[in-house]
Amino acid sequence: MTAAASLVCPACRRSLSLWQQGSLAAYVCAGGCGGMLLSGLVYKGLFQQPSESLQPLLQLQRDPQLPPLRHVKLNCPRCRGIRMMQRYFSQEKKALVNECGQCGQVWLHGGELQQALQEYGGKQQRLQQAEQRSAVVQAYLEQQQRKLEQLSPLQRLFPNLTGVNKDFDPRLERIREELRRPRPQ
């Protein structure tokens, strides 16, 4: 890691160091608060990286004496005097992300990357489960479509009168029986 020219940690005011591995680059506060400054593109691509390549960022040395400044509004280290916007990484509201509206740089406090990766993993798992449920529903709909295609035009137009719906809704058979009963005069 090399010292970044004039970039200062927005949380603890120490000098940021450049960390680089392959296409990943970040300015980190090693030995300080453990935070990191990433470009917007690097940040978005970070979650597609294998976890082994992120280990050095996850294991940054932090000063245990520094209090966490998680909910304090920070100034962007690149754009002097511009406040970074704060937002949560996901609906779980564990990882807090600070983003500069002017230059697009993203600041993660020490430990926030680990939490964001965990939230991302949970989000991916929920997406896979949703896709599986969607596939089951799609298979059911295709099966129902095949059944519908086998019906005659008359059965398609008047499913209740032709008895087609009794497979779909057992209440219809009870209603038909009720209608067949003789009515008192």
Side-chain angles (χ1 to χ4, degrees):
M1 288 187 241
T2 59
S6 73
L7 284 181
V8 177
C9 174
C12 69
R13 311 304 304 158
R14 296 184 186 199
S15 292
L16 296 177
S17 304
L18 176 63
W19 174 87
Q20 193 162 8
Q21 183 174 354
S23 63
L24 293 177
Y27 290 99
V28 298
C29 186
C33 67
M36 61 191 74
L37 183 69
L38 308 151
S39 76
L41 289 175
V42 169
Y43 171 72
K44 288 178 182 175
L46 203 58
F47 301 97
Q48 308 306 320
Q49 298 293 323
S51 59
E52 307 84 48
S53 64
L54 300 176
Q55 284 308 310
L57 286 176
L58 295 171
Q59 298 171 350
L60 283 176
Q61 296 296 320
R62 289 193 266 180
D63 183 354
Q65 301 298 323
L66 290 174
L69 297 173
R70 196 163 177 247
H71 292 283
V72 175
K73 295 247 181 182
L74 303 174
N75 287 329
C76 177
R78 287 207 183 264
C79 309
R80 306 283 185 231
I82 302 292
R83 292 268 175 165
M84 297 180 98
M85 298 175 289
Q86 290 183 330
R87 63 179 171 78
Y88 286 103
F89 178 78
S90 74
Q91 293 176 345
E92 293 179 32
K93 296 186 178 182
K94 292 180 183 175
L96 190 65
V97 177
N98 295 277
E99 189 171 3
C100 179
Q102 186 167 332
C103 68
Q105 297 286 310
V106 175
W107 175 263
L108 297 173
H109 290 284
E112 298 288 331
L113 178 60
Q114 178 73 34
Q115 290 176 335
L117 288 170
Q118 288 172 352
E119 288 182 50
Y120 181 77
K123 180 179 175 182
Q124 291 303 104
Q125 185 179 10
R126 287 189 301 278
L127 284 173
Q128 287 174 346
Q129 290 170 347
E131 287 174 2
Q132 290 169 350
R133 286 191 303 270
S134 177
V136 168
V137 168
Q138 185 65 34
Y140 173 77
L141 291 174
E142 288 171 2
Q143 176 189 16
Q144 296 303 317
Q145 181 65 32
R146 284 192 297 276
K147 284 182 178 179
L148 183 64
E149 289 169 357
Q150 293 173 355
L151 299 176
S152 71
L154 185 62
Q155 289 173 320
R156 282 188 216 153
L157 284 173
F158 304 105
N160 293 340
L161 298 177
T162 57
V164 171
N165 274 348
K166 80 176 173 186
D167 294 336
F168 298 106
D169 192 350
R171 294 174 291 178
L172 290 174
E173 191 58 35
R174 287 194 301 264
I175 293 171
R176 272 193 210 96
E177 288 175 18
E178 196 73 31
L179 291 173
R180 287 185 203 129
R181 288 189 193 155
R183 303 268 181 229
Q185 302 269 338

